[in-house]
Amino acid sequence: MGQYTASQRKNVRILLVGDAGVGKTSLILSLVSEEYPEEVPPRAEEITIPANVTPEQVPTNIVDFSSVEQSDDALAAEINKAHVVCIVYAVDDDDSLDRITSHWLPLVRSTCSNSSNADGEPDVARKPIVLVGNKIDLIEYSTIDNVLAIMEDYPEIESCVECSAKTLHNISEMFYYAQKAVLHPTSPLYIMEEQNLTPACKKSLVRIFKICDIDSDNLLNDYELNLFQRRCFNTPLQPQILDEVKSVIQKNVPDGIYNDAVTLQGFLFLHCLFIQRGRNETTWAVLRRFGYNDQLEMCKEYLRPSLKIPPGSSTELSHRGQQFLIAVFERYDRDGDGALSPDEHKMLFSTCPSSPWSYSTDIRKSCPTNDNGWVTLHGWLCRWTLMTLIDVVKTMEYLAYLGFNVHENDSQLVAIHVTRERRIDLAKRQSSRSVYKCHVIGPKGSGKTGLCRGFLIDDMSKLLGKEFKTNVVHCINSVQVYGQEKHLILRDIDVRHALDPLQPQEVNCDVACLVYDASNPRSFEYVARIYIKYFAESKIPVMIVGTKCDLDERRQDYLMQPTEFCEKYKLLPPHLFSLKTNKKELYTKLATMAAFPRFQAAWILFYKHRLVQLWESAYLRQFGLMTEDPKVWLKAGLGVAAATVLGFIVLKAISASGTHSR
């Protein structure tokens, strides 16, 4: 997969400033020609160093400044354009060293504070600074101690280096440090005054630690450390080096090692040590591998990779996506009871900014849970399936937060399956999808919310007389359609008034369920008007459902009764539904109609029922229900197969007759 490393920066722009005569121009010319220039112009032209000759493989622009040829306004403009500023002083000139704090550093600060970023807002970020002491060949002592004192007062100073343009000593290193100040900056990671990691860096590393802690024991064992090393640096961690690392941690942090494994405190200390030793690039490599940018925020491209979804297509979890989510669930199901308690659920999403849903309300009323209201593995996959269909971008974001990109060594795109376009499904008269969206539409009080919630529980009668105060729009569960598992999403369309128009997003779905109260004589009229206005001319399969059938069925105050209405518009007969009866074939019917759009849904269901009767009467009864003779069952199986083939021939003939039900 594409790793988010420093090399993704387009270029690095380095500006050299300093007093006249300190050797800024000589440094640039010596780098380019690899020899000291005898004649030095007032100012060097801007130089571009190709990516393939730089240590970080990034094109680098080096810009010189001359107070003789350029104005203060030109200097301010160059400071704002630069990614890093090298302030050059002469090691044999104390005045040029003093001017670093009296002039140059305040100038760079004030210039940057008055500038704006790309959004036109004040740029509060400090420009990285590298202090460069030139002409080291002229003295036999070092000025580094003086420079280190300056660094304590100015945290934007990334590094300092002494060099010589004449002898070429440390010339390449100087420009490498300048590159490094841009590509691997210290200030986002480390607070110099406190000798400690920044809060943002700590937070990021804690998340990384949790993701790498596969067994969730708050320790990184040898296996987990090796896996971490391979993921970040594409190389295994040698046993000797691993022992040395543990020894360093143990020596400096008493609680950094526990049971021969690295604790969170040890992990944080290790990165603190890298930075103190000038190995910022190591910590940055880890952070960028886990999706962080220079501001220690998750990269937009990392969270939301570009996904093309053709019109009429939908998004589902792929097999790899499902397997990853199963592994995450099992990892945090500490007690192994097959469900996530509120604490386990909270811990699972501790690597994310927040939970993608409300556990107390959304989860319990949108997907299957256990008797405690805790989400089961089945419900967990259902809830992710729902989010993937209605908000695939959010799914990709949370997969990234949970570490999919690192664990799978690939982009979240492989966790998503984009289905073929609906028009192709209609042409083939069957759908290849495994997730269908059903819109449940009906007047207030028709029982549609109970119908939706009943889909989630085994005993629907528990919902009788219950007042639904929280309106959760979607409910999802799985059903079997001819031996294949399909997910059906019921969307409760909230219609406040009969004359309220439906929006396109409230109409478009895989199957529509129009609900009326069979015990209310004025309920069906609304359903009939909705069908005629929005669905009569559409290609969306429609099922009309009469709820509360356990009560007295009333004649409807409409010009046609529901059965007559369905016959006229070639719909399935009204399905009578009641929470009291606890019969769930309605949901299978809806999923079947979605899976076979524009097909003889009524005849399929009817003939399936007749086929079962044929099988029972002609074969099972003939051979005996309880027989264990394998020969008898073989004969019965052959008979059923023959009946099935005959059934499909009849269905094909029916389908060709042209009387398609919606």
Side-chain angles (χ1 to χ4, degrees):
M1 65 169 289
Q3 296 184 19
Y4 291 83
T5 60
S7 60
Q8 289 186 322
R9 178 179 281 277
K10 294 181 180 179
N11 71 316
V12 172
R13 188 175 181 85
I14 304 171
L15 172 65
L16 273 66
V17 300
D19 293 348
V22 295
K24 304 184 297 295
T25 307
S26 298
L27 288 170
I28 297 173
L29 297 178
S30 294
L31 175 73
V32 175
S33 62
E34 297 185 349
E35 61 180 7
Y36 181 68
E38 295 298 333
E39 296 183 5
V40 181
R43 174 173 168 265
E45 294 295 326
E46 181 176 326
I47 292 170
T48 300
I49 301 176
N52 59 352
V53 296
T54 64
E56 297 290 345
Q57 299 292 300
V58 181
T60 302
N61 303 95
I62 302 175
V63 181
D64 192 10
F65 173 75
S66 171
S67 58
V68 175
E69 294 187 356
Q70 294 173 281
S71 65
D72 291 344
D73 289 342
L75 174 59
E78 288 295 350
I79 290 174
N80 286 327
K81 286 195 295 183
H83 297 131
V84 58
V85 177
C86 293
I87 301 178
V88 184
Y89 67 96
V91 294
D92 64 337
D93 182 356
D94 291 342
D95 290 340
S96 69
L97 180 60
D98 293 339
R99 288 255 298 168
I100 291 175
T101 54
S102 65
H103 176 70
W104 290 109
L105 283 169
L107 174 65
V108 174
R109 272 192 177 184
S110 62
T111 301
C112 293
S113 63
N114 293 328
S115 66
S116 299
N117 58 25
D119 298 324
E121 299 172 347
D123 190 356
V124 295
R126 289 174 175 173
K127 191 80 65 177
I129 303 288
V130 176
L131 299 183
V132 181
N134 190 25
K135 305 185 182 181
I136 191 67
D137 58 292
L138 299 180
I139 61 172
E140 295 182 357
Y141 57 88
S142 174
T143 60
I144 289 297
D145 289 342
N146 295 329
V147 172
L148 290 176
I150 298 173
M151 292 179 68
E152 292 180 2
D153 297 328
Y154 291 86
E156 63 264 43
I157 300 175
E158 289 283 332
S159 58
C160 58
V161 59
E162 292 182 331
C163 60
S164 170
K166 189 168 187 177
T167 65
L168 307 184
H169 178 67
N170 276 350
I171 295 294
S172 297
E173 286 79 359
M174 167 214 155
F175 287 101
Y176 169 69
Y177 287 139
Q179 262 195 342
K180 186 177 175 181
V182 178
L183 304 176
H184 313 297
T186 303
S187 55
L189 307 181
Y190 193 74
I191 304 172
M192 197 72 68
E193 307 91 274
E194 300 178 8
Q195 299 285 293
N196 202 353
L197 299 172
T198 63
C201 183
K202 279 185 182 178
K203 182 179 179 181
S204 304
L205 290 173
V206 167
R207 171 181 170 266
I208 292 169
F209 181 92
K210 288 180 178 180
I211 289 174
C212 295
D213 180 17
I214 298 173
D215 56 9
S216 299
D217 63 351
N218 296 317
L219 298 168
L220 294 184
N221 57 37
D222 289 0
Y223 173 77
E224 292 165 338
L225 286 169
N226 259 298
L227 210 56
F228 167 78
Q229 176 77 9
R230 287 180 179 275
R231 287 164 177 165
C232 294
F233 306 104
N234 295 318
T235 180
L237 199 58
Q238 299 301 322
Q240 181 181 351
I241 296 176
L242 182 56
D243 290 340
E244 290 174 359
V245 168
K246 290 180 183 178
S247 177
V248 171
I249 295 174
Q250 184 75 66
K251 185 177 179 181
N252 290 273
V253 186
D255 57 351
I257 301 293
Y258 181 78
N259 284 346
D260 199 35
V262 177
T263 66
L264 175 59
Q265 289 75 20
F267 185 73
L268 295 176
F269 164 77
L270 198 59
H271 285 280
C272 198
L273 188 64
F274 288 147
I275 297 166
Q276 289 171 347
R277 293 183 177 179
R279 292 177 55 190
N280 303 9
E281 63 273 17
T282 302
T283 298
W284 274 116
V286 172
L287 290 166
R288 286 172 176 137
R289 180 64 180 88
F290 282 80
Y292 290 95
N293 61 17
D294 290 351
Q295 291 74 45
L296 294 184
E297 298 170 344
M298 299 288 282
C299 297
K300 178 182 176 182
E301 297 81 4
Y302 189 89
L303 291 175
R304 299 180 287 277
S306 178
L307 177 66
K308 294 183 179 179
I309 306 174
S313 294
S314 62
T315 46
E316 303 174 359
L317 287 170
S318 68
H319 178 71
R320 283 181 67 178
Q322 291 177 10
Q323 291 304 305
F324 172 77
L325 291 171
I326 291 172
V328 170
F329 181 97
E330 292 175 343
R331 174 177 165 186
Y332 285 93
D333 180 17
R334 300 288 183 85
D335 53 11
D337 64 349
L340 293 178
S341 69
D343 287 341
E344 290 170 338
H345 185 270
K346 182 179 180 180
M347 184 62 67
L348 187 152
F349 284 112
S350 63
T351 60
C352 310
S354 62
S355 172
W357 46 68
S358 169
Y359 192 81
S360 60
T361 56
D362 192 327
I363 276 287
R364 297 184 180 188
K365 296 170 183 176
S366 65
C367 64
T369 61
N370 65 8
D371 292 339
N372 294 323
W374 300 352
V375 64
T376 60
L377 175 59
H378 174 61
W380 168 256
L381 291 176
C382 282
R383 192 59 187 79
W384 276 92
T385 298
L386 168 60
M387 186 163 71
T388 304
L389 184 75
I390 65 177
D391 192 351
V392 68
V393 172
K394 191 173 182 179
T395 292
M396 291 193 293
E397 286 182 5
Y398 275 86
L399 285 173
Y401 289 137
L402 292 172
F404 178 90
N405 309 51
V406 180
H407 286 298
E408 296 293 318
N409 198 33
D410 217 329
S411 161
Q412 312 94 297
L413 294 177
V414 302
I416 307 299
H417 169 63
V418 179
T419 66
R420 70 187 182 190
E421 298 176 47
R422 182 174 170 79
R423 61 180 178 83
I424 300 176
D425 288 345
L426 291 172
K428 293 181 176 292
R429 298 189 178 184
Q430 70 176 38
S431 173
S432 61
R433 304 181 186 192
S434 63
V435 185
Y436 302 111
K437 186 162 58 174
C438 171
H439 286 185
V440 182
I441 306 170
K444 186 175 178 63
S446 61
K448 54 188 174 65
T449 303
L451 183 151
C452 292
R453 300 285 179 86
F455 188 34
L456 306 179
I457 62 177
D458 293 331
D459 186 2
M460 294 190 295
S461 62
K462 292 180 180 179
L463 299 175
L464 285 171
K466 189 172 183 179
E467 184 179 353
F468 302 107
K469 296 179 180 179
T470 306
N471 184 29
V472 175
V473 176
H474 296 96
C475 295
I476 180 171
N477 204 341
S478 63
V479 296
Q480 292 289 319
V481 176
Y482 297 119
Q484 293 185 333
E485 184 181 58
K486 304 290 184 181
H487 283 91
L488 183 65
I489 297 171
L490 302 181
R491 180 183 175 187
D492 188 346
I493 303 297
D494 187 21
V495 182
R496 298 184 181 278
H497 303 287
L499 297 179
D500 286 351
L502 295 180
Q503 300 302 314
Q505 64 269 23
E506 295 176 321
V507 175
N508 295 328
C509 56
D510 297 305
V511 59
C513 179
L514 305 186
V515 180
Y516 72 97
D517 180 355
S519 67
N520 183 348
R522 303 186 62 182
S523 184
F524 180 72
E525 181 179 1
Y526 174 84
V527 165
R529 292 183 183 276
I530 287 290
Y531 177 82
I532 293 170
K533 185 175 181 179
Y534 296 103
F535 296 100
E537 301 300 325
S538 78
K539 297 177 181 178
I540 299 172
V542 175
M543 168 77 76
I544 290 180
V545 177
T547 60
K548 307 179 185 179
C549 68
D550 55 300
L551 304 177
D552 291 336
E553 186 175 355
R554 301 289 297 276
R555 182 176 178 82
Q556 296 296 311
D557 295 339
Y558 186 64
L559 53 92
M560 284 182 285
Q561 292 305 296
T563 301
E564 297 171 323
F565 183 89
C566 292
E567 289 176 355
K568 177 179 178 180
Y569 289 98
K570 296 185 174 64
L571 298 173
L572 286 171
H575 183 99
L576 297 181
F577 176 86
S578 171
L579 294 174
K580 194 172 185 178
T581 61
N582 201 37
K583 293 181 179 179
K584 294 200 168 190
E585 66 269 16
L586 168 64
Y587 307 114
T588 303
K589 284 185 179 181
L590 291 170
T592 304
M593 293 172 71
F596 297 93
R598 296 188 66 190
F599 199 60
Q600 294 283 353
W603 281 104
I604 290 174
L605 294 170
F606 171 78
Y607 196 78
K608 179 184 177 185
H609 176 67
R610 294 296 297 157
L611 198 59
V612 170
Q613 288 184 330
L614 176 65
W615 181 64
E616 289 179 346
S617 61
Y619 295 94
L620 287 184
R621 291 177 183 175
Q622 177 181 346
F623 297 114
L625 289 173
M626 302 300 294
T627 182
E628 296 182 0
D629 186 349
K631 293 182 180 180
V632 171
W633 281 106
L634 176 62
K635 292 178 181 179
L638 293 173
V640 171
T644 303
V645 172
L646 176 62
F648 280 116
I649 295 172
V650 173
L651 282 173
K652 188 173 181 181
I654 292 171
S655 177
S657 68
T659 56
H660 305 298
S661 71
R662 297 181 181 277

